[in-house]
Structures are given as structure tokens and as C-alpha cells.
């Protein structure tokens, strides 16, 4: 074995050279890896003893792509394209030995090899679009030559990895093997023994010939793939580059791909998406977590309340293979809850997103009861009953008596005081908030609310449970509305004011949609149900004149067919309703509010700046430890477009100075002291500082 450099070694056995990378955690194709890979293949090609070459990795995965932390910095030679060309040009057969996740540059180098074998549980893909870029080392030129431009553009714009079995069917990999390296060695020996021709993917024309003749099918596939990405740069660039694969000669297509890559990688959208990539990984790290704190193992779960959220949370456990029991007040409510779960799974089966067998397996893991004694034999309890503090305290009092020591007791409350809930037990250290987002079986975000009593073990267990359930856990402090809902409340206040002052729901929603949100605030209110907020305002004695009047008229949104919009015959399409404007005019007159035309820019600023201002207060109070945590909350819980980076990242693009000036203007205009710029925001404005400098997460978006 020859150690080519710190991360690459070369072993020659029976005329087969095995080139192996060992660069934890994911064998990213950083400079040292590239340099070593190039030197190794040159050595293997030059060695007369060597007849065949295998490219593989040690550790948990085959190359998971380029080293994202190198982006935005001067590129050190050799570039990945040069390395791949050296493997492709080898006169000796080269076989890639894939396992784990061959992603981005990892799949691209494998496509540069003459053959690819993979373990059955491997996944391959080109997810670059999720980082606001496109495959930049030949993926948009080689993949179409293997699977055709139509399928390639769909795969590249979606950026989703595919399982080995599907990749085999597509001809991306040549064989599924039990053990990658040994399987690849056997494969290359067979190639040599049978004298199989070394076809370079770059020379394959059969899959692109049809599109060259008639690109209609490609254009249709491209249109379908990008329809949800209006205004997003990377998907459009992916389409352009894949189109080049059948309209330009290979080398010109490669050059064009390079140019598109270099343009995107320095752009704000890619910087924003890379920021979110690293921030979601940082969010799960609790800075003051002592080393050695071990999370408890979750083998069984109980959910109290089988309603909208309880049902979704139970599905999360079942989807993760954890047996879960729902506790309800009556057999009737239990049956309703289980039926809703069954229907939700059945929809996924109908859509082909879930196999019937998988549905049956998961549903079999969900039990229901009205008997609270199940509490005594579980590792975690998540309470999801009505949003009433008294009821939750009563329930945690019961849990305290029944649960075994060390059981994690969590509340899915969206607004209530977790300290108060914890204090209703004799073990407040075992209590945390685990705030899921609706629909709980879909939304990725999980706010883990740390009460002043929560122990480090409880927080560590909640974070681990979140990861087990496939969620993105963000640990936040205990306050009214935690991080997400607290900021959302600022936007809702402005929504109500703008209606009184003369804006329409469709005006405001259009501005928010244009920014990239999947839904505007009024349409979102109608989806969630206007009665949820109404009940909370009634409990708190606060008012929203227009929305309260809508609720008093039974207009709760989609569920009643009318809210801020009309929903005809059960449709989900919001139709503007002049009645709402009339109502707003009446309420404005009653409140003495002067109505006026409100510009798009003002609507924009009042939708986003008050939230950013609240984010600054949240950081001042330590409710969030990193600005990037706030960005992750909004990206994964509230639909903030990832290519806009999140409220704090976006604020840094705009600049604190401009935001402070606008807030001071609107505080004056509305008389709302809550709009006065936060201390931290004013400091950033004065110093030219950035949210990005607060906390430890922002390591690669520079
Ligand atoms: N570069 C640098 N660091 C990376 C990395 C990468 N590509 N992938 C992961 N890490 C770090 C990550 O930050 C974390 O660090 C640790 O590895 C474990 O990751 C030319 C230009 C591979 C499926 O988009 O999807 O190739 O927090 O916690 O859940 O066309 O990581 O421990 O300090 O996510 O097991 C394309 C990105 C790059 C894949 C593993 N590749 N990675 O998931 O672990 S662009 C990607 C992932 C490209 C070419 C272009 C996942 C994973 P830390 P983790 P995981
Ligand atoms: P829901 O009304 O749909 O369900 C509540 C369920 O709790 C009902 O089925 C009810 O029968 C059951 N229940 C009430 N008292 C009980 C008791 N003593 N024992 C057992 N079961 C009992 O409400 P939901 O929307 O699922 O909300 C549940 C919790 O989740 C609330 O705290 C809410 O604030 C929070 N939450 C809701 C959302 C959302 O979008 N709906 C999002 C995040 C968090």
C-alpha cells in the first residue's frame, strides 16, 4: 500500500490498483483529496503491473460531493474536472465502488469512470441545485448521455438522490454488489477477462440523439421540473446546461457548464442556500452542552391527544419504526384520530409515495387507548391536547405520577409557558417543549423549547429524538411564541393594520409570494384556521378588528369556505371577496384610521422588517443562541425561501441601517412602539455589523 498523501492511498493486488480516499466525515472532494486522486491514477496508469483500477472510499460514504466549505474561495488546482478527465482517459478499465451517498462531484467522478458498482443501500444523485448551483464537473453533460436529457433534467432540477436499485434500472450503475471494493475488483477482472470495451460516458450519443432531433419532450420535462421555481436562478441554469448536452459538442457543453457554475456560486441565492445547509447542521448543536451528556434511547413513545397534531406526531414515530400509543379521552375521539392517520397514509399510497406494505407496517406500530397506564412503560411522552394551560398542567401532573424515572416529558404547546408546565411536576428537569409544525408528519422543523428547569440530558434526548424522527431540531428559549410564532405575531399585527389602512389581502399576499414564499399571510391564515388566533386573542384580551369580525361571522377560512378569501365548493383556490374590503373600511372608520394607497415597497418592508426587528430582540434575550438558528426556523417552519437565506441572512443583504430607518418611520406612522428598532439592530446599523457575525454558525457563507 502506497500512501499517496494524507487522505489517499493506492494498493495493487493481482494487477488491480485500488485507489482509496479516507477523508472524514463524508470524503468531500476537497483540495487534498483531488490532488491525491490525480497523483494516484497517474501512478496506476503508468505502472505496467496494473491492468485495472478501482476507485473507492473508506468511512461512512463514497465521495459526498465537492467540499462546500471551499466555495467562494480561490480554487486550488487540480480542479475536479481535471481529475475526472484523468480517470476517464485511463486506457485501463476504472470501476467506481459506490456505497452510502455518491452525491454531486462524487457521482460526477463515478460518471467519469468506465463502470460503476454499488451496494444495495447506496444512493446516488446531483443535489447541487439545493445549494443554489448546478453540477459543475460534468454532471449536466454526462448524466443525460446515460439516462437521456428528459430524465436527467428532472433528476438534476429535483436534486433528490435515487436508490441503487433505480440507478441500476436507469443504467447509471452497472451492478449491485454485496461489498463495494471486492465487488468492484471482481467486476474489473471480468471486464479484463471478457475484453469489454471501455466506453467513456462522454462518447455516448444514443441517449441524446432523439432530443437532438426533436427537443419537444425535453422542453416539456424542463418546464414541468421548474414550474415551482419562478425567480430561482439554479433550476433555470440546470435546464440550460442539460439542453447544451444535446445541442453542443461535449467539451463546449462542459465549458458552458463551468461558466454557469462560476456565476451561480458567487451569487446571493447560492450563498443563502449554503448558509442554510450549514446552519441546519449547527442548529442541533447546543453550545453549553457538557461533553459526555448522553441522550436517552427512545424505543417506545406515547402521544397524549390524537387530534391534528397528535396524529401527525404519532405518524412521525411510526415512520421512524418506533412503536407509539395515542391516549385520548374516549374511544370515539380515538377512532377519529386513528381514522385520520389511516386516511393520510392512504393518500400517500394512492400518490405512489408509499408502498401499501410500508403503510401497513407503519400503521401497525400505532396503537390507541384511553388507559393512562401505558405511560408507565414508555421512553418519551408528547402531549398535544387543547392549548389551555390549566389542562396541560393537569396532564403533566398525571404524567409525573405515572411515568418511570428518566422518561422525557414534552409538550407540543405553540404558545404556552413551558416553565409553568414543568413546575406542575416534581421532575421539572425532565420537561421540555417539542413544538412540531402542522402537518407534523411533513414539516421538517422542530422547535425544542428549553425551560429554565430542563436538564441537559432532556435537551440532548429531545434533539436526538428530533433527528430520529427526521426533523431539523432547533433548541430555543422559553418565551411567548418561542422563535417562530413570536416573529410571526409581528407580521400578523402588520397584516391587520394594512387591511385597515387600505391594502387588500391579495395585494399583500402577492408581495410575499413574489419574494418566494409558497403562500401569503392571509391565505396561510385561512389554511391554518382564523379561529386558532381568535381564541388566543380572546384569552389574552387583545383585538384584531377586521379578523375578529370575520371570525364572529363564522369566516374561519378554508374550513368554512370563507375567511379573508372565498373558497368555492371546497376548492383551495383563494378568491378575493369585496365584502372583506367593505368590512375593513367600516372598521377603519370606526377606529379613525385614514385609508390610502400603499406601495408594494411599503407592504414589503412592513411584512419583513418588524419580524427582523423581533429576531434581534430574540437574540438579545438569548432565546436563540445563533442568528442562523432563526433562519433555520423560518426556512423549515414558515416557508421562508431557502434561496433568500432566512430573516437574519436577508437582513444582512439589505443592511441594518436601511431596516432601522424604515422601522423608525413605521413606528412614527403607526404609533406602535413595538416597531421601534431593537437595541441590537441599532448597534448593527451603527457599526455596519451583521447578524451573520453573531453566534458560531456562519462558517461558509462568507
Ligand atoms: N462539503 C463539506 N462538508 C460537508 C459536505 C460537503 N459536501 N457534506 C457534508 N459535510 C459535513 C457537514 O457539514 C457535517 O459537518 C458533516 O459533514 C456530516 O454531515 C462539482 C460543486 C452526505 C447525505 O450537496 O447531503 O459536488 O456539522 O450532518 O446527515 O458538481 O451531509 O459535523 O461539522 O449532513 O449523515 C454536492 C451534501 C456538493 C451533499 C450526509 N453534495 N451533504 O448526511 O451527515 S456540491 C451535497 C449531504 C458539488 C460538483 C458540485 C449530507 C450527507 P459537521 P451531515 P448526514
Ligand atoms: P386538536 O383540537 O386538533 O386536538 C386536540 C386533541 O386532544 C383532541 O382530539 C382532544 O380530544 C384531545 N384531548 C383533549 N383533552 C385531552 C385529555 N385530557 N387527554 C387526552 N386527550 C385529550 O388540537 P391540535 O391542533 O392538534 O393542537 C394540539 C396542541 O398542539 C395545542 O397545544 C396546539 O397549540 C399545538 N399546536 C397546534 C398546531 C396546529 O397548527 N394545529 C401547530 C403546532 C402546535
Amino acid at each position: 500500500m502506497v500512501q499517496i498523501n494524507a487522505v489517499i492511498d493506492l494498493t495493487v493486488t493481482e494487477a488491480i490498483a485500488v485507489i482509496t480516499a479516507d477523508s472524514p466525515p463524508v470524503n468531500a472532494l476537497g483540495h487534498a483529496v483531488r490532488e491525491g486522486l490525480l497523483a494516484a491514477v497517474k501512478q496506476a496508469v503508468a505502472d505496467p503491473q496494473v491492468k485495472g483500477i478501482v476507485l473507492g472510499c473508506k468511512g461512512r460514504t463514497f465521495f459526498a460531493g465537492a467540499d462546500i466549505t471551499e466555495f467562494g474561495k480561490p480554487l486550488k488546482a487540480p480542479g475536479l474536472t481535471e481529475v475526472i478527465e484523468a480517470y476517464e482517459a485511463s486506457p485501463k478499465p476504472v470501476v467506481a465502488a459506490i456505497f452510502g451517498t455518491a452525491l454531486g462531484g462524487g457521482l460526477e467522478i463515478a460518471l467519469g469512470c468506465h463502470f460503476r458498482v454499488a451496494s444495495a443501500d447506496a444512493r446516488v444523485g446531483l443535489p447541487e441545485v439545493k445549494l443554489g448551483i448546478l453540477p459543475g464537473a460534468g454532471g449536466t453533460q454526462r448524466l443525460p448521455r446515460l439516462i437521456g436529457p428528459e430524465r436527467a433534467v428532472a433528476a438534476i432540477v429535483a436534486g433528490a438522490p435515487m436508490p441503487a436499485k433505480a440507478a441500476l434500472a436507469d443504467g447509471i450503475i452497472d451492478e449491485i454488489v454485496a461489498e463495494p471494493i471486492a465487488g468492484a475488483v471482481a467486476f474489473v477482472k471480468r471486464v479484463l477477462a471478457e475484453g469489454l470495451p471501455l466506453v467513456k460516458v462522454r462518447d455516448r450519443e444514443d441517449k441524446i440523439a432523439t432530443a437532438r432531433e426533436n427537443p419537444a419532450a425535453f422542453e416539456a420535462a424542463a418546464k414541468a421540473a421548474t414550474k415551482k421555481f419562478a425567480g430561482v436562478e439554479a433550476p433555470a441554469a440546470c435546464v440550460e446546461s442539460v439542453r447544451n448536452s444535446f445541442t453542443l459538442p461535449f467539451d463546449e457543453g462542459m465549458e458552458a457548464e463551468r461558466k454557469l457554475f462560476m456565476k451561480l456560486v458567487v451569487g446571493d441565492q447560492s450563498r443563502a442556500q449554503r448558509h442554510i445547509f450549514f446552519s441546519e447542521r449547527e442548529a442541533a448543536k447546543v453550545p453549553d452542552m457538557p461533553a459526555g451528556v448522553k441522550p436517552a434511547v427512545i424505543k417506545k413513545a406515547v402521544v397524549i391527544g390524537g387530534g391534528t397534531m397528535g396524529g401527525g406526531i404519532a405518524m412521525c414515530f411510526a415512520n421512524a419504526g418506533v412503536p407509539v400509543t395515542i391516549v385520548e379521552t374516549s374511544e370515539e375521539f380515538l377512532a377519529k384520530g386513528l381514522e385520520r392517520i389511516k386516511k393520510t397514509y392512504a393518500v400517500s399510497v394512492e400518490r405512489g409515495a408509499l408502498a401499501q406494505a410500508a403503510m401497513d407496517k407503519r400503521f401497525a406500530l400505532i396503537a390507541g387507548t384511553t388507559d393512562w397506564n401505558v405511560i408507565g412503560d414508555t421512553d418519551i411522552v408528547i402531549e398535544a391536547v387543547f392549548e389551555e394551560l390549566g389542562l396541560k398542567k393537569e396532564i403533566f401532573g398525571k404524567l409525573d405520577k405515572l411515568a418511570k424515572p428518566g422518561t422525557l416529558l414534552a409538550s407540543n404547546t405553540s404558545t404556552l409557558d413551558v416553565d409553568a408546565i414543568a413546575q406542575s411536576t416534581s421532575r421539572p428537569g425532565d420537561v421540555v417543549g417539542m413544538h412540531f409544525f402542522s402537518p407534523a408528519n411533513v414539516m421538517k422543523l422542530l422547535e425544542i423549547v428549553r425551560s429554565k428547569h430542563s436538564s441537559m440530558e432532556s435537551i440532548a434526548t429531545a434533539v436526538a429524538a428530533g433527528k430520529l424522527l427526521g426533523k431539523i431540531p432547533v433548541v430555543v428559549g422559553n418565551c411567548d411564541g418561542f422563535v417562530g410564532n413570536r416573529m410571526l405575531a409581528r407580521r400578523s399585527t402588520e397584516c391587520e393594520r394594512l387591511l385597515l389602512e387600505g391594502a387588500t389581502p391579495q395585494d399583500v399576499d402577492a408581495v410575499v409570494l413574489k419574494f418566494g414564499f409558497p403562500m401569503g399571510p392571509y391565505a396561510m391564515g385561512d389554511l391554518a384556521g382564523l379561529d386558532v388566533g381568535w381564541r388566543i386573542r380572546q384569552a389574552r384580551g387583545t383585538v384584531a378588528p377586521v379578523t375578529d369580525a370575520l371570525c364572529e361571522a363564522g369566516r374561519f377560512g378554508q374550513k368554512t369556505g370563507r375567511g379573508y378569501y372565498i373558497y368555492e365548493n371546497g376548492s383551495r383556490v383563494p378568491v378575493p371577496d369585496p365584502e372583506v374590503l367593505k368590512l375593513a373600511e367600516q372598521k377603519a372608520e370606526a377606529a379613525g384610521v385614514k385609508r390610502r394607497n400603499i406601495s408594494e415597497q411599503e407592504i414589503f418592508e412592513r411584512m419583513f422588517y418588524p419580524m427582523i426587528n423581533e429576531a434581534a430582540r430574540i437574540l438579545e434575550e438569548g432565546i436563540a443562541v445563533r442568528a442562523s438558528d432563526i433562519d433555520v426556523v423560518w426556512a423549515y417552519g414558515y416557508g421562508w425561501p431557502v434561496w433568500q437565506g432566512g430573516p437574519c441572512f436577508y437582513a444582512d443583504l439589505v443592511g441594518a441601517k436601511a431596516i432601522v430607518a424604515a422601522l423608525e418611520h413605521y413606528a412614527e406612522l403607526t404609533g406602535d412602539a413595538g416597531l421601534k428598532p431593537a437595541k441590537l439592530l441599532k448597534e448593527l446599523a451603527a457599526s455596519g455589523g451583521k447578524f451573520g457575525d453573531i453566534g458560531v454558525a456562519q462558517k461558509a457563507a462568507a
Side-chain angles (χ1 to χ4, degrees), residues 305 307-309 327-329 384-387 392 412 414 435-436 438:
T308 313
M309 295 306 288
V327 176
E328 258 290 355
T329 51
V385 304
F386 304 134
E387 187 73 343
K392 292 189 190 281
N412 184 50
S414 35
H435 182 210
F436 290 77
S438 182

Side-chain angles (χ1 to χ4, degrees), residues 404-643:
K404 64 180 175 8
T407 301
L408 182 66
L409 308 176
S411 172
N412 184 50
T413 177
S414 35
T415 60
L416 298 173
D417 180 355
V418 179
D419 290 355
I421 294 172
Q423 283 150 11
S424 63
T425 74
S426 63
R427 51 173 109 179
D430 296 350
V431 177
V432 294
M434 285 180 76
H435 182 210
F436 290 77
F437 287 73
S438 182
N441 57 308
V442 176
M443 296 298 284
K444 297 275 282 177
L445 180 68
L446 176 64
E447 275 185 326
I448 293 176
V449 184
R450 174 183 186 161
S451 96
K452 64 180 176 205
H453 308 286
S454 305
S455 69
M456 282 301 182
E457 286 71 19
S458 297
I459 295 165
T461 303
V463 169
K467 288 184 174 174
L468 172 70
L469 302 182
K471 302 299 180 190
I472 295 175
V474 180
V475 180
V476 300
N478 180 38
C479 69
D480 187 3
F482 316 130
V483 168
N485 285 348
R486 176 172 164 177
M487 292 166 66
L488 186 68
R490 287 286 173 199
R491 187 176 80 177
S492 308
T493 303
E494 288 311 304
C495 282
E496 186 66 21
R497 270 204 194 106
L498 285 166
L499 277 184
L500 287 171
E501 294 173 25
T504 67
Q506 53 274 28
D507 290 343
V508 177
D509 280 357
V511 168
V512 175
L513 283 168
K514 193 170 160 201
F515 183 74
F517 274 79
M519 199 176 262
Y522 299 96
M524 191 173 104
D526 279 351
L527 175 70
L530 302 181
D531 54 323
V532 180
W534 187 41
R535 261 187 264 288
I536 293 171
R537 286 191 298 279
Q538 287 174 321
R540 291 172 178 209
T542 55
V543 297
V546 179
T547 310
D548 290 347
L550 291 173
C551 290
E552 281 141 21
R555 300 178 61 134
F556 296 158
Q558 284 193 16
K559 58 182 154 187
T560 59
R562 287 170 182 259
Y564 292 115
Y565 296 98
I566 296 173
Y567 300 86
E568 280 143 358
N569 316 320
S571 115
R572 288 169 172 264
V573 179
V575 177
D577 183 354
E579 288 302 310
V580 174
L581 305 188
K582 268 206 223 108
L583 180 65
E585 283 162 11
Q586 289 160 7
K587 293 297 174 187
E589 193 175 338
V593 174
K594 195 167 160 312
R595 293 173 63 78
R596 57 192 171 87
N597 288 328
I598 302 176
S599 70
E600 244 191 62
Q601 181 57 25
E602 176 174 350
I603 290 173
F604 178 84
E605 291 175 357
R606 290 174 67 175
M607 281 297 97
F608 292 100
Y609 294 178
M611 292 206 293
I612 291 168
N613 198 28
E614 199 60 28
R617 294 194 180 103
I618 285 169
L619 286 165
E620 284 169 14
E621 297 165 23
I623 296 294
V625 290
R626 287 165 283 241
S628 62
D629 289 357
I630 296 173
D631 292 340
V632 170
V633 164
W634 272 80
Y636 287 105
Y638 297 82
W640 188 288
V642 287
W643 59 88

Side-chain angles (χ1 to χ4, degrees), residues 198-219:
L198 303 188
V199 182
K200 298 174 183 167
V201 176
R202 62 169 289 154
D203 297 334
R204 299 270 306 263
E205 293 287 316
D206 53 315
K207 295 281 181 170
I208 56 175
T210 318
R212 189 172 282 146
E213 297 302 313
N214 174 3
F218 167 78
E219 295 305 337

